[in-house]
Amino acid sequence: MYKVTGTDPTGRALTFACGTDLQALDKVRELMGRGFRDISVSDPKGKKISGTAFEHSVGLDYD
């Protein structure tokens, strides 16, 4: 499971669970559009990266 974490405009830290990398990508883009900051993604292995880096990395493993 992927976990997307971000800070909403009021300062609350929220975490969202996503089943796939594409769902996590959709959530990252949604949160960016809603004004969240400090967005990060944890992959199923526990590796944590920024939302922007995750956005750039999704799809690179597929041909």
Side-chain angles (χ1 to χ4, degrees):
M1 173 180 11
Y2 290 82
K3 294 180 185 175
V4 180
T5 304
T7 305
D8 74 6
T10 65
R12 283 187 310 175
L14 300 172
T15 301
F16 303 89
C18 300
T20 67
D21 58 347
L22 294 178
Q23 289 173 340
L25 177 61
D26 287 343
K27 184 56 74 175
V28 166
R29 290 178 174 166
E30 175 192 340
L31 296 180
M32 287 178 174
R34 290 174 48 196
F36 277 64
R37 61 185 190 280
D38 303 326
I39 299 170
S40 63
V41 179
S42 296
D43 69 12
K45 296 178 183 177
K47 181 181 174 187
K48 188 174 183 177
I49 61 173
S50 73
T52 305
F54 181 76
E55 188 175 25
H56 287 79
S57 71
V58 172
L60 297 178
D61 296 336
Y62 306 107
D63 291 329

